[in-house]
Amino acid sequence: MSLPLFEKVAFIGLGLIGSSLARVIIAEKLANQIVASTRSQKTLDDAKALGLIQEGYTNPIDAVQGADLVVLALPVRATQKVLEIIQPYLSEKTIITDVGSTKANVVEAAKAVYGDALPEGFVPGHPIAGSEHTGVHAGKVDLFAHHKVILTPLPSSADWAIQKLIQLWQASKAEVICMDVEKHDEVLAHTSHLPHLMAFNLVEQLANREDNLDIFRYAAGGFRDFSRIAASDPQMWHDIFFANKKAILNAVDGFEKQLAVIRKLIEDENSQALMGLLGHAQAARQHFNHMLANRPLMEKNKVTTQQFTILPGKKNFQGKFSVPGDKSVSHRSIMFGAIAEGTTHVTGFLEGEDALATLQAFRDMGVSIEGPKNGEVTIHGVGMHGLKAPASELYMGNSGTSMRLLSGMLSAQKFDSVMTGDASLTKRPMERIAKPLREMGALLQTTGDRGTPPISITGNQKLKGIHYDLPMASAQVKSGILLAGLWAEGETSVTEPEPTRDHSERMLRAFGYEVKTEGNRISLQGGGKLTATEIQVPSDISSAAFFMVGAAITEGSDVTLEAVGINPTRTGVIEILKQMGADISVENERIAGGEPIADIRIRGSRTLKGIHMPEDQVPLAIDEFPALFIAAACAEGQTVLTGAAELRVKESDRIQVMADGLKIMGIDCTPTDDGIIIEGKGKSGEWDAIFTGGEIESHHDHRIAMSFSMAGLRTSGEIKIVGTETVATSFPTFTELATEAGLAIQVTE
Ligand code: S3P
């Protein structure tokens, strides 16, 4: 049996937090002995009766002797006095920590006792958990579970002490974060102390009114929710407000400034700006959980949050579906609408996290945007020179398109900016866009390890037009350069090795900007302007592709995907499936909002056959290969893909990750530098299971997760797909629609 983490733990103070931690230590068997000291004999008796401590003392000296962990779980203002008393009785190896809400004053108290030579074992801490209830009886073993615990190690703190405290708090199922003392106090001033101050103050404001009884009697949910925290302990908050005075006063000043802003908007009846402010705040509130969860700070302890389980069994795959809006077109509608003159209305906008990251970035740059609501977005354009410096880094989540296109736009602005992203985006190559932009005179740095994000851009550079021969077929790089070209002097042109999606060119024209396409050469003149317009976003063929493949591999299936974008630079998947023998028809072709659309019907009536996939279709089907590999596994004979090295630098290395997953599921395949060879297991006229099932890791890649979900239509064993939360980046309704079509997906959060 392994030794417990601590021999003897001494709590000084045993209220809600201390007694909850004692409960964790007991439940997880982290110490041989727990003792406590409090001023109240009754608390000690109660704690003993509850089985929380073996011994209780009213004198802290008795408690700390021989303890290897001392937890100060008492009001912060008492820290200095207690430390003075217990200091002579602590050994060099004693770990001393606390649970107070402010940290600078705890460190000051320790310095008043120890001078500058603080003990190695001293590591202040702050569990961000609580309740309106107090006292030893209120403690709960799960009080800290899924909450954050901040440790603020000092330069004097030893690693052994920090590591043991991390283990202790992790045992309580908390997420442990280390930050420095000042940062802690500043962050907490804004996220906890200011809201408490506002809650107390608002209740006070209403309580002082003559009609206060009416107000409290009729107080609706808003008041109740907002004022809940004003029921907490006045003495504690009194102490915190003084203890963190400087940071709190800063936060109050910021609040007053912002209050004056909204006050003025209401006074002036500035409807557009007020909608902009409320929309910006609402979006920030809705998305901050997700965004924060992906910040690198948390990366070390990141846990996978979602998984799909797909059960075997014969499936029907049927129905008519509208998949969500096109991701590429949605991104561009926001970007171009923001820099246009006038108001742009968008319908069919993809409310997935990638496009929302773009939308949030423009809000952060001062653009007033209403929505999205049912796919509708209204953008009040600020013109070519109206973007404002964002207050902090722009967070692009999982979205390479946002980061590469915005690199071009931001390089031409007057202000500096920094763009960051999630674990997947942080690994993706950004020099491919940084290099040509530098040739145009931009000043930008890829500050990650290997030409990867974050990207740091210094504004106020004069850009000049260039000609650039794209070394790879990339619509993102092409678009990033052309977008910088809008502000550059003279002509900017690119030549592509093969045609790639041309949504930027089409949409710029729709906004009244002249763009020339001559063969593979695309060019524009800088210095023009965009005029607001209406954008109808078609359904995304890349999302439709999963259902196309699902239907193609399932006996008797019949699926129609309505109003799908069939821009010729995107239809490689239809061509390749046709060459594989799929029963697919493109019906009801029409134009909507400048883009061709159609209904695509596909039936499972014959076995697919393996082919050498045509290289000229690779850029036109670049996002659809994970799904096409599933089709190839179900085909009769060998499928060979070449000329697709770009797949290695998508949201994941899609060649390797797909090959790994296919092998787990019993498919013989060989990844190559620029493609893959897949030995299809299909037999003409047979519809038996092809895949064995197994556990698949999606590597933060939405398309990997959705492709292996479709394999569930031909599996003999259960398929588990781990890390499926990124599906929401491009196809938030995927599980709903796939279930409706007949696939049994269970989602576990
Ligand atoms: C996109 C271009 C493609 C594609 C991506 C979206 C775009 O990337 O894979 O999903 O909207 O321009 P590359 O430019 O890297 O090929």
Side-chain angles (χ1 to χ4, degrees), residues 327-328 331-332 401 404-405 428 432 473-477 479 501 622-623 646 650-651 703:
K327 187 151 74 76
S328 296
H331 280 300
R332 288 158 172 86
T401 309
R404 298 211 178 102
L405 269 60
R428 299 186 64 186
R432 53 175 54 200
S474 164
Q476 292 178 356
V477 178
S479 303
R501 63 189 69 193
I622 192 70
D623 290 339
E646 277 293 299
K650 294 293 176 189
E651 283 84 328
R703 300 202 200 281

Side-chain angles (χ1 to χ4, degrees), residues 234-420:
Q235 178 71 55
M236 182 175 90
W237 284 101
H238 159 275
D239 294 352
I240 289 173
F241 293 155
F242 283 169
N244 199 17
K245 178 173 161 187
K246 199 170 130 223
I248 289 177
L249 290 184
N250 272 337
V252 170
D253 290 347
F255 172 68
E256 276 184 348
K257 237 169 99 190
Q258 187 60 36
L259 190 65
V261 170
I262 195 166
R263 189 190 183 289
K264 179 114 181 45
L265 296 184
I266 297 170
E267 188 175 32
D268 299 349
E269 295 184 17
N270 187 340
S271 151
Q272 181 180 321
L274 183 61
M275 275 308 289
L277 184 154
L278 298 175
H280 184 235
Q282 184 209 35
R285 180 66 182 85
Q286 282 171 345
H287 293 287
F288 79 129
N289 276 336
H290 172 79
M291 302 233 167
L292 283 178
N294 285 316
R295 290 272 158 122
L297 181 66
M298 320 266 174
E299 206 70 324
K300 275 181 272 161
N301 301 322
K302 196 171 165 198
V303 281
T304 302
T305 56
Q306 198 195 61
Q307 126 181 352
F308 291 170
T309 308
I310 296 139
L311 302 173
K314 191 161 165 48
K315 313 268 183 359
N316 268 330
F317 203 61
Q318 308 273 352
K320 281 193 176 175
F321 302 97
S322 282
V323 300
D326 188 285
K327 187 151 74 76
S328 296
V329 176
S330 296
H331 280 300
R332 288 158 172 86
S333 69
I334 300 292
M335 295 177 187
F336 299 173
I339 56 166
E341 286 175 17
T343 300
T344 292
H345 295 284
V346 183
T347 53
F349 181 80
L350 167 67
E351 295 181 41
E353 286 163 7
D354 276 14
L356 290 171
T358 293
L359 191 149
Q360 185 63 24
F362 282 90
R363 281 184 163 147
D364 290 347
M365 290 190 282
V367 182
S368 171
I369 303 175
E370 294 171 46
K373 201 171 179 191
N374 302 325
E376 287 183 31
V377 184
T378 304
I379 308 150
H380 300 282
V382 295
M384 296 300 289
H385 303 286
L387 294 178
K388 296 205 181 80
S392 57
E393 317 166 335
L394 298 169
Y395 181 68
M396 299 303 162
N398 196 256
S399 176
T401 309
S402 310
M403 192 171 275
R404 298 211 178 102
L405 269 60
L406 273 174
S407 293
M409 294 180 81
L410 292 173
S411 290
Q413 303 306 313
K414 293 243 173 311
F415 48 83
D416 301 347
S417 50
V418 175
M419 287 186 283
T420 61

Side-chain angles (χ1 to χ4, degrees), residues 78-125:
T79 309
Q80 183 176 338
K81 202 158 147 233
V82 168
L83 280 177
E84 265 161 14
I85 299 172
I86 62 175
Q87 181 214 1
Y89 303 92
L90 303 178
S91 88
E92 276 174 15
K93 290 282 164 205
T94 313
I95 297 177
I96 313 157
T97 191
D98 78 311
V99 297
S101 307
T102 53
K103 296 275 67 93
N105 61 327
V106 169
V107 176
E108 263 166 46
K111 282 189 178 158
V113 176
Y114 286 96
D116 279 338
L118 290 173
E120 282 192 356
F122 179 50
V123 186

Side-chain angles (χ1 to χ4, degrees), residues 653-665 669 671 676 695-697 699 708:
D653 175 345
R654 286 185 176 158
I655 292 176
Q656 194 57 47
V657 171
M658 283 304 296
D660 292 346
L662 287 171
K663 282 182 190 159
I664 288 171
M665 301 245 286
C669 61
I676 193 166
E695 183 165 320
I696 306 292
E697 171 53 61
H699 290 270
F708 279 111

